[in-house]
Each structure stands twice: as C-alpha cells, then as structure tokens.
Amino acid sequence: MSSSVIIGTQWGDEGKGKIIDIMAAKADVVVRSSGGNNAGHTVVHGSEVYKLHLLPSGILYPNTLCLIGSGVVVDPAVLLEEISEMQKRGISCENLRIDARADIIMPWHRYLDKLTEEFKAKQTGVNVGTTGRGIGPCYTDKDERIGIRMYDLCHPECLKKLVKNTGELKNLIIEKVYGGEPFDLDKVYEEYKAYGEKLVKYMDDVSVITFEAWKENKKVLFEGAQATLLDIDFGTYPFVTSSHPIAGGACVGTGIGPKMIDEVIGVGKSYTTRVGNGPFPTELNDKTGAEIRERGGEYGVTTGRPRRTGWFDAVIMRHAVRVNGLTSLAINKLDTLSGFPVLKVCTAYKTNDGRILKDFPVTLDELEKCSPVYEEIEGYDENIVGCRNYGELPEKCKAYIARLEELCECPISIIGTGPGRDDVIFR
C-alpha cells in the first residue's frame, strides 16, 4: 500500500497542482480534503493548460478516482461550471465523487464575506484579503451547526426547511447589521434544488471509498489546498484561511486515520510568494521582486492578483517541516532564479531588540517586528529548463539546492526546472 499527502509549505501557489498531476498519473485515487474554490491549481498537460479550483488534479486521468472530501466547502455553481468546462475539453469527470457530508456555499456566504470584510476594515483598519468566495462564512455555519450539506441538496423538503431557517437568520444579519439587501429565499431554494438534481450522481461516502482503497493496497494521493502558513491554527493568524491545509487536515477532511499516511511531501518555491495582506519578512518591494514576479508569472489563478515576492525563507520551511511531519520537499521554479548573480536565503529572524530567532514566531505581533537574517549564495546563469536529471544541473544550482536542504533540515526529492509537466527532476 502507498498513500501520500501533498501540501503547500509557504503561503500557497507553490505549484502543488503540477506535482500532484505528475503523481496522480500513477495513483489509483486522488482526494481533495480541505478549502474551497478560493484555491487554484494550474496544471500544464502537454500543450493544454488547466486551471482547477474544486476538481482534484487527478481529474485528467479517467482511470483515477477523484474524491472531494467532507472537509471541502463546495460552491455547486462553480463546481458544475468547472465540470462543464472540462467536458467541453474532452474530460468526462465520470471519475468524480463528492462526500455527501461536504458543506455547501450559499449566496449569503459570498455576500457576507464581502460585507464583513468591509466592516472589519472600516472598524479596525485590518483587511484580511479574502477572495470573497464565501469560504469563511461557510465554515462558520458548519461550526455553528447550521450549515447546508451536499446531502441536503438531494432532499427537497429538507433543503426547503434549511434554506428558510438559515436564510431568515442571514437576511436579518444582512439587513440589520450591515444594511444590505436580503435574499429571496424561494429563488435560492429553486436554484439549489436544481444544483442537487445535477450533482446527485456524484455523491458518495468518501471516507469509506478511501479506506477501502487503502485496504486493497491501492495508491492513494491526498491533495492539499492553500498552504501551511494559511492554516487556521499554525499560519499567520488572522491572515489565514478557515480550514486546515496542513498534513493533519488530510485525515480530518477525508475521514481516515493518520496510520494510513506513508509519506508527506511539502511543495515550495525556490523563492517565496504571498497573495493578500499580512507580514512577509523576506518581501522584495524593488526591481528584483518585480523581476521575480514577471519571470515566474506570479499572478493568482483564482483572483489574478499580483503576488508579493521575496527571497527563500528557511525559517518558514523549518516550521512547515515540523507541523506537517514532512518526509521530503518538492522545490519548484529553480529556473526562475537563473541569471541572478547572488541569491539570498533567510536563515533566521532578528527582532527589534536584537534577539535571533531560528523558529517561526507564535504571534503576528512578534513576526511583524522581525527582519530577515540573510545568507548569500552565488547564483547560476545557465538556463535549466529542459533538465531531466540531477547531473544536468549547473554546479552552482546544485550548491543552492544542497544548502536549502541543510537549512530546512529536510531532503529535496523533487526539483521543478520549468513550467511544463515534464520539467521536473526526481532524485
């Protein structure tokens, strides 16, 4: 048996889709366990580019069973649109299954996401920078036990009651607290009943399917969304997502136990990026940062927003190694750094009072007072796109990789050398 968890180690957008796509080709089952359509994975398959938000990356392989676990919050309109787009491109999606326990994003979730973000920004001056897709409000309803689930979509009477009860509460909040326009609940009911009629054929018990596959010694791949520093507990709170994108989230969001996990691969970039607000110790607000952004195509898959860029942060990566129990790392976009005469790596943080921190700070307040302690490494000029084995890499590039391994205290088993699916080296 073999089961692997693929997670992001930084703030997301590390190229997980590419690594998952490669590994999905050999997997029997691919499971998405957390997040919603606030996540985006770009998969380059031959000459085709696929941008996935809810569908697991294994959807391109008809013989790979693709599962959306109960830990995912599903916007049915977005999912149906994504399925339709894939079908137009010759991908049937008949290999898709969705856990009937997964919570549904309702229209008031998206609206409240916008209203609360505006309210909090006005009151506190802090803008978390959500994607506005309704993810946080949906998880809030789940925790308050008033959420609507995939299962409910297929039971009209139950759905009507839930839409009425929850919708009336949300309309009161929208009107009385934020001064917004209430929803026509009859229209909401009809809209979501229609979604249920289209999605019912995909519904199943993902926990059982995953467990049975594991017992049958099949290869199971758990696909993470977002990344470690966006985790609700261990990320840069409050600038985080509303779920657990760390390795432990694969168990909670799928319904399987930790003993079923054989390896945890953390995906990162050879530098660091971030979308949205919050502290970013190695951020480059200069020509170098702009050049990295353009070379690496650092614009959000979901929002199109330009990503903030900075040098590689080994403090962050050691944090990811610890909280995820990483067995190895996959480092993408080594090709982006080609041509820079000097590469910098953050090895520690220095606080305002002169203390040196080797571990990632617990509080946002402390992190905001940190500046990076850099180590300079000689850069490499050669174009490494097309390199297929480790021996083909320039010696200075190998030296950079070796130093990252030492600083992160974790082996690098996969190296991304370009945007294509085949631009990768397995060590």
Side-chain angles (χ1 to χ4, degrees):
M1 65 187 68
S2 173
S3 58
S4 306
V5 178
I6 311 294
I7 58 93
T9 57
Q10 296 160 325
W11 275 291
D13 311 308
E14 301 96 346
K16 295 182 295 297
K18 173 180 177 177
I19 304 301
I20 292 165
D21 176 47
I22 293 169
M23 298 187 69
K26 300 177 182 179
D28 298 298
V29 182
V30 177
V31 192
R32 169 82 183 272
S33 58
S34 67
N37 60 303
N38 55 337
H41 287 169
T42 299
V43 176
V44 180
H45 195 71
S47 60
E48 297 289 321
V49 178
Y50 299 88
K51 296 189 176 183
L52 308 176
H53 301 278
L54 280 169
L55 292 174
S57 297
I59 201 69
L60 301 178
Y61 304 96
N63 295 324
T64 300
L65 188 59
C66 292
L67 309 177
I68 296 177
S70 62
V72 178
V73 290
V74 178
D75 188 322
V78 172
L79 179 58
L80 285 168
E81 182 181 356
E82 196 165 339
I83 290 172
S84 176
E85 287 299 314
M86 295 299 283
Q87 289 171 339
K88 290 176 184 177
R89 299 176 70 176
I91 309 298
S92 73
C93 296
E94 293 302 310
N95 53 335
L96 175 67
R97 300 292 182 272
I98 310 166
D99 198 296
R101 305 177 188 88
D103 277 64
I104 295 298
I105 293 176
M106 303 298 291
W108 48 74
H109 291 140
R110 295 188 294 271
Y111 192 29
L112 284 167
D113 204 353
K114 175 179 179 291
L115 292 174
T116 56
E117 185 81 347
E118 291 174 351
F119 179 82
K120 286 184 289 186
K122 188 181 294 183
Q123 293 295 108
T124 66
V126 176
N127 190 318
V128 174
T130 74
T131 60
R133 303 302 200 268
I135 309 302
C138 185
Y139 276 116
T140 297
D141 280 4
K142 179 177 182 177
D143 290 340
E144 289 188 358
R145 298 173 294 282
I146 59 171
I148 299 174
R149 295 182 159 190
M150 290 294 298
Y151 172 88
D152 301 316
L153 293 185
C154 306
H155 296 79
E157 291 306 313
C158 180
L159 177 63
K160 181 178 287 188
K161 182 179 179 181
L162 289 169
V163 168
K164 180 180 183 296
N165 292 344
T166 303
E168 287 179 352
L169 172 62
K170 299 303 176 181
N171 275 344
L172 279 173
I173 295 171
I174 289 168
E175 287 185 280
K176 304 301 182 182
V177 176
Y178 299 109
E181 292 295 322
F183 286 93
D184 183 327
L185 301 182
D186 290 332
K187 287 185 178 179
V188 172
Y189 164 70
E190 292 297 334
E191 178 186 350
Y192 277 72
K193 184 179 72 169
Y195 293 150
E197 292 168 356
K198 295 177 181 179
L199 290 171
V200 63
K201 70 175 185 177
Y202 299 108
M203 293 187 203
D204 216 318
D205 189 331
V206 165
S207 175
V208 170
I209 296 173
T210 307
F211 185 66
E212 292 300 323
W214 178 77
K215 286 201 303 182
E216 294 169 10
N217 295 327
K218 292 183 177 179
K219 292 185 178 180
V220 182
L221 185 64
F222 296 90
E223 174 182 356
Q226 287 98 26
T228 301
L229 290 185
L230 297 177
D231 184 84
I232 189 70
D233 282 330
F234 295 99
T236 48
Y237 188 89
F239 301 99
V240 293
T241 192
S242 302
S243 60
H244 292 290
I246 57 176
C251 296
V252 176
T254 306
I256 53 94
K259 75 173 185 177
M260 294 168 59
I261 306 299
D262 295 313
E263 66 175 352
V264 183
I265 300 173
V267 184
K269 288 174 181 168
S270 60
Y271 48 94
T272 310
T273 65
R274 181 170 193 176
V275 172
N277 296 323
F280 184 173
T282 66
E283 183 172 12
L284 295 168
N285 294 306
D286 57 10
K287 182 179 178 181
T288 299
E291 188 171 354
I292 290 174
R293 181 182 301 110
E294 294 307 313
R295 285 191 188 187
E298 297 299 346
Y299 295 88
V301 175
T302 300
T303 63
R305 288 184 291 183
R307 296 172 186 146
R308 300 156 65 190
T309 59
W311 293 117
F312 188 91
D313 190 328
V315 180
I316 285 174
M317 198 60 76
R318 289 195 295 270
H319 175 73
V321 169
R322 183 181 71 256
V323 301
N324 292 291
L326 297 185
T327 54
S328 69
L329 286 166
I331 300 297
N332 282 317
K333 296 198 172 183
L334 266 297
D335 54 302
T336 300
L337 295 184
S338 179
F340 287 101
V342 175
L343 305 177
K344 294 184 179 182
V345 177
C346 173
T347 61
Y349 296 153
K350 185 176 182 178
T351 64
N352 287 348
D353 58 5
R355 290 179 296 120
I356 300 297
L357 304 180
K358 294 288 187 179
D359 296 314
F360 195 69
V362 172
T363 68
L364 190 70
D365 180 64
E366 188 172 18
L367 181 61
E368 288 176 332
K369 296 175 182 176
C370 289
S371 58
V373 176
Y374 282 122
E375 175 180 315
E376 294 189 351
I377 301 173
E378 190 175 1
Y380 44 94
D381 293 325
E382 297 87 342
N383 180 6
I384 64 172
V385 176
C387 291
R388 296 291 183 269
N389 63 71
Y390 192 67
E392 294 177 0
L393 292 176
E395 290 303 315
K396 291 177 183 177
C397 181
K398 291 185 203 176
Y400 182 67
I401 293 168
R403 186 57 180 146
L404 294 189
E405 287 184 311
E406 293 173 353
L407 292 170
C408 300
E409 301 173 6
C410 188
I412 296 174
S413 61
I414 303 172
I415 300 165
T417 59
R421 184 180 184 278
D422 298 326
D423 295 327
V424 65
I425 295 171
F426 288 89
R427 296 174 72 194

